[in-house]
Amino acid sequence: MKQSNMKILIGATVVIFLLAAGWQLTRKGSSGSENPTAAPDKTPHEISEITVAYPADGSIFPPEFPPPTWLWHDPANLATAWVITVAFADGTESVRVESKGERLSVGKSDPRAASSNNRKPALSAQLADAHTWKPDDALWKKIKSHSVTQPATVTIEGHVSHPSAKDASAKDVSLIVSKGDASIHTSADPVGAPIFYRDVPLMPSENEKGVIKPLAAEAVPLIAWRLRDIDETKSRLLMDGIHTCANCHSFSANGRTLGMDMDGPRNDKGLYALVDIEPEMSVGKDNLIEWRTFRGKLGSRLRVGFMSQLSPDASHVITTVNDPGIDQSDYDRQSNPIDLIRNYYVANFTDYRFLQVFFPTRGVLAWYSRESRQLNYLPGADDTEYVHTNAVWSPDGEYLVFARAAAGDANPKGATQAQYAGDPNERQLKYDLYRIAFNAGKGGTPEPIVGASQNGMSNSFPKVSPDGRWIVYVQSKNGLLMRPDGQLYIVPAKGGAARRMTCNTPLMNSWHSFSPNGKWMVFSSKSRSPYTQLYLTHIDDNGNDSPAILIENTTAANRAANIPEFVNIPKGGLIKIDAPAAKYAEHLDKAIALMKNGNYADAASEWQNALALAPDRWQAHNSLGVALMELGRVDDAISHYREALESNPAYPEAFNNLGEALTGKGAFDDAVANFKKAIDLNPKYAVAHTNLGTLLARNGRA
């Protein structure tokens, strides 16, 4: 503890005595003349040192940023009021205002996001101890205009009433008991673009090996997407209520095209959306790519794209696809996703603070051409001895930067499942960053990026600055993204000495994105709360960054803001997003819930709604058949079972259900044939064995 703080904490009785005696309170090393309200013949007492916690000394704000909330700690805890003085180094007259120094509040919560597996937001002990002040709009405008070329210094003084103030004429006389300051700057560089981000509840779900499933199915529609203009004090809601877990997104350099993964909670949809951006836009069926429909060289082994990225000119998409070592039918993947279990390490936790760990341990890069509508491996990044992931484009689209590590099974036999993020029982994998030429899809030889490889750490989630000079990436002990120990590092794009960035907070730094002009970077952090928040930092031409500044009020206090990305559009360029293509998942969820409750009539209606949007979905045809059987509509059920088998001839459940329906119509031979087909496809299918045995027994074939 500092000497000055030790002396001020000498006990309430002595302090009160000193104040009652009219002793002067000054800062250490100052003379009595520094405090004009004190009696000159009294022995001075030291002033406690206030710590300005936010904004940190040296913080840089965008010119369009709204007033921030100052936070400070006063260890003396004597002040009853505070005086804020703003001094300008450019010679402008200083400004002096008073503040009550209110305590920081948590903010409003979303009652829908409350769960037995999370906690009501609460301030940390450090934040609960903080006092606050926010300048009004006029003062903040003045501070910004006079802190561009030289800093503005904000000094905070804690005051108590002077003991001589016993009459009305002296009631405003006070003593300074604490003091601290911090200097800030305003950049001449505007941010110039809004931030698109995901707003999620933290409502943990049960663990399921190989399945990225941080939320229960009923919580998925609570996920929202928002847009934040930097000059605003709140964000615009663009889209919510979607019954599928849309997640990783990217934009073209000109801000005219959006690409987004549209995977379901079980990664079973394998959809990717490519949409032209308009103020009011819609993601329709025609905007979707279904990765698993690609045949030929990639064939049925292809399951789903992972962390896909749109090229700057929107002509290509780069994505991680399965290591093609295992070939399963579509049905097999649903019932026994060996490829997921083998290729993706996933641990979902009931601790809402860090819901999950996930990263691929096998996979190669593939690129999709919007012109040819073909998906191809990228030579040089298709070596199955390695896992390749997190690929991003250079600003000119000439090369890619990606994370690479030695490939292996995600869940080795006998491995102990991790119980929390950072658990030593996690599958250990350290990525290195590599660079490879795109070369019109011909690829090249991958080269490690010096400074971001072979450093004993895991290096992932690279982002190349718009001028192509820098790469900012996440460094952690293991895995990628959302790591409690994740720190942001910057390295020359061609390799060199990597530097830990100034903007790093104490807990989890990731999901970063450069502004279109390259002067600002947004990222997410859990430093203030388990409910993730968004921060900004300024980056100069030499790659030097400034202390992090908080983007306040991005979501409710019990929700998390993540995956932020700048989009190069003017204000008002994106107002609303509809996603009729995702309605299939909504009808599916409703139908399943109705089936569980025995409401087969309404369930049949929802299955029909789903099939109207996706006529070839064999699961929906089969489920509609089940509902129709329960309603006694046997012929209609048979029709849908046959539709399911036409779309997927390797679907044992549909063969079994068709056999049951045919049994009811007395078509015994056909029923037997269908039960046998179900068993051929799945020899351990107990229900089909039972149905076949029962039918044979009835026909004298005991």
Side-chain angles (χ1 to χ4, degrees):
M1 185 178 290
K2 293 183 179 180
Q3 178 108 10
S4 58
N5 292 348
M6 287 289 291
K7 290 184 178 180
I8 199 65
L9 300 174
I10 57 178
T13 304
V14 177
V15 171
I16 293 170
F17 172 79
L18 292 172
L19 293 176
W23 283 38
Q24 179 186 2
L25 297 169
T26 67
R27 269 185 131 170
K28 186 174 182 179
S30 62
S31 64
S33 60
E34 184 176 316
N35 191 341
T37 64
D41 59 341
K42 299 298 182 181
T43 303
H45 187 76
E46 292 176 5
I47 293 176
S48 175
E49 184 175 348
I50 284 175
T51 301
V52 180
Y54 179 82
D57 191 59
S59 292
I60 301 176
F61 288 87
E64 64 265 57
F65 205 76
T69 301
W70 258 256
L71 301 179
W72 69 88
H73 301 285
D74 186 348
N77 201 28
L78 294 172
T80 55
W82 282 263
V83 173
I84 316 292
T85 303
V86 185
F88 303 100
D90 67 357
T92 301
E93 184 178 355
S94 62
V95 178
R96 187 178 173 93
V97 297
E98 294 184 0
S99 170
K100 294 181 180 179
E102 291 92 343
R103 298 292 186 179
L104 187 64
S105 61
V106 172
K108 294 182 179 180
S109 291
D110 179 356
R112 302 172 304 162
S115 163
S116 60
N117 285 333
N118 63 26
R119 294 182 184 176
K120 185 177 179 180
L123 297 174
S124 65
Q126 185 179 24
L127 288 174
D129 178 63
H131 297 276
T132 70
W133 168 71
K134 178 178 287 192
D136 61 30
D137 290 341
L139 177 53
W140 180 238
K141 183 178 180 180
K142 183 173 183 178
I143 292 173
K144 289 193 294 182
S145 64
H146 292 285
S147 60
V148 177
T149 58
Q150 298 185 67
T153 300
V154 176
T155 301
I156 302 169
E157 296 175 346
H159 286 237
V160 294
S161 296
H162 193 283
S164 64
K166 296 180 179 179
D167 54 60
S169 63
K171 66 180 181 180
D172 294 328
V173 179
S174 63
L175 291 171
I176 301 173
V177 294
S178 52
K179 192 172 184 179
D181 59 57
S183 295
I184 65 167
H185 295 256
T186 301
S187 175
D189 305 316
V191 172
I195 300 168
F196 180 86
Y197 64 96
R198 194 171 68 152
D199 173 2
V200 297
L202 300 186
M203 303 167 71
S205 179
E206 71 278 6
N207 192 40
E208 190 170 346
K209 185 176 287 188
V211 178
I212 301 172
K213 189 181 179 183
L215 298 178
E218 59 270 19
V220 170
L222 296 179
I223 299 173
W225 287 260
R226 295 183 181 272
L227 193 75
R228 179 60 168 266
D229 288 296
I230 294 300
D231 61 345
E232 299 288 348
T233 57
K234 60 181 181 180
S235 303
R236 176 190 297 277
L237 175 65
L238 298 177
M239 179 172 67
D240 66 353
I242 306 300
H243 286 244
T244 189
C245 191
N247 42 73
C248 296
H249 45 74
S250 54
F251 295 89
S252 60
N254 61 13
R256 295 177 184 172
T257 308
L258 165 66
M260 179 181 283
D261 287 329
M262 301 287 285
D263 303 330
R266 288 184 54 85
N267 286 335
D268 52 7
K269 296 177 176 62
L271 300 176
Y272 188 72
L274 284 170
V275 196
D276 291 335
I277 293 178
E278 299 175 357
E280 295 192 14
M281 54 188 283
S282 179
V283 183
K285 184 178 179 182
D286 292 342
N287 301 119
L288 297 182
I289 301 167
E290 190 170 9
W291 297 126
R292 69 179 181 178
T293 62
F294 289 93
R295 294 296 181 244
K297 185 176 180 181
L298 272 61
S300 62
R301 293 185 175 94
L302 178 64
R303 178 183 178 80
V304 63
F306 180 74
M307 300 193 82
S308 312
Q309 286 282 309
L310 184 64
S311 65
D313 64 358
S315 62
H316 299 95
V317 178
I318 190 75
T319 189
T320 295
V321 298
N322 288 38
D323 169 355
I326 294 179
D327 191 4
Q328 288 184 284
S329 68
D330 285 344
Y331 170 77
D332 287 341
R333 283 199 179 94
Q334 294 295 316
S335 59
N336 184 26
I338 295 174
D339 52 353
L340 277 184
I341 295 171
R342 182 172 180 258
N343 295 344
Y344 291 89
Y345 178 78
V346 180
N348 302 304
F349 309 123
T350 55
D351 185 344
Y352 73 103
R353 296 171 297 177
F354 286 92
L355 285 169
Q356 62 181 346
V357 173
F358 70 88
F359 48 83
T361 63
R362 294 183 183 275
V364 297
L365 295 185
W367 59 279
Y368 171 78
S369 168
R370 294 185 73 185
E371 181 180 3
S372 68
R373 300 182 64 82
Q374 294 295 314
L375 187 68
N376 301 282
Y377 293 129
L378 182 67
D382 59 350
D383 185 347
T384 56
E385 292 297 312
Y386 300 95
V387 55
H388 313 70
T389 189
N390 256 178
V392 296
W393 299 86
S394 64
D396 57 10
E398 293 295 317
Y399 68 90
L400 294 150
V401 178
F402 64 95
R404 192 180 90 165
D409 284 348
N411 297 277
K413 192 172 182 179
T416 302
Q417 186 74 15
Q419 300 300 309
Y420 58 89
D423 187 338
N425 286 319
E426 288 177 357
R427 170 69 160 83
Q428 296 298 300
L429 195 69
K430 299 184 190 300
Y431 295 97
D432 294 315
L433 293 189
Y434 277 75
R435 172 179 173 142
I436 189 171
F438 181 60
N439 194 20
K442 298 176 184 176
T445 302
E447 300 175 351
I449 295 175
V450 176
S453 59
Q454 301 301 318
N455 53 16
M457 300 293 284
S458 187
N459 309 278
S460 65
F461 205 71
K463 290 286 185 176
V464 186
S465 63
D467 61 7
R469 294 180 59 199
W470 306 99
I471 296 172
V472 173
Y473 63 99
V474 175
Q475 188 178 104
S476 59
K477 293 179 181 177
N478 187 51
L480 60 82
L481 280 175
M482 299 184 296
R483 307 304 292 160
D485 65 331
Q487 297 282 294
L488 295 168
Y489 277 72
I490 188 167
V491 67
K494 295 181 179 179
R499 302 194 309 266
R500 180 183 177 276
M501 298 180 73
T502 302
C503 65
N504 278 293
T505 69
L507 188 62
M508 199 202 82
N509 303 271
S510 68
W511 292 123
H512 49 286
S513 168
F514 281 99
S515 63
N517 62 15
K519 301 298 184 180
W520 298 91
M521 191 181 75
V522 64
F523 66 98
S524 63
S525 166
K526 291 181 177 286
S527 62
R528 285 201 184 188
S529 169
Y531 298 97
T532 319
Q533 296 170 300
L534 303 184
Y535 291 81
L536 275 180
T537 181
H538 182 266
I539 300 179
D540 67 18
D541 293 339
N542 296 316
N544 299 310
D545 68 298
S546 58
I549 57 174
L550 173 68
I551 302 175
E552 299 180 33
N553 193 32
T554 52
T555 183
N558 63 338
R559 294 172 64 97
N562 63 21
I563 325 183
E565 184 167 2
F566 284 105
V567 51
N568 191 12
I569 55 174
K571 195 164 187 176
L574 183 53
I575 297 171
K576 184 180 180 182
I577 302 176
D578 287 325
K583 287 291 183 181
Y584 171 84
E586 181 177 351
H587 293 306
L588 182 147
D589 287 347
K590 289 180 179 178
I592 291 173
L594 290 165
M595 296 276 277
K596 287 180 178 178
N597 292 326
N599 187 346
Y600 297 107
D602 289 343
S605 178
E606 290 295 339
W607 288 122
Q608 287 166 340
N609 290 335
L611 286 167
L613 295 170
D616 60 343
R617 291 300 174 98
W618 35 272
Q619 304 99 320
H621 278 293
N622 180 67
S623 296
L624 175 55
V626 172
L628 293 171
M629 281 292 291
E630 293 289 343
L631 296 171
R633 295 168 57 183
V634 179
D635 288 338
D636 290 336
I638 289 173
S639 175
H640 283 284
Y641 291 144
R642 294 194 189 281
E643 287 271 7
L645 291 168
E646 185 175 335
S647 296
N648 181 11
Y651 191 11
E653 276 88 351
F655 278 117
N656 175 74
N657 292 340
L658 178 57
E660 288 184 347
L662 292 169
T663 299
K665 289 185 69 67
F668 299 116
D669 291 342
D670 287 345
V672 168
N674 279 281
F675 289 138
K676 287 184 175 180
K677 287 178 181 178
I679 293 168
D680 287 342
L681 287 167
N682 182 6
K684 295 183 179 180
Y685 193 179
V687 172
H689 278 291
T690 301
N691 287 335
L692 177 58
T694 301
L695 184 59
L696 292 172
R698 286 179 183 173
N699 286 273
R701 296 172 59 186

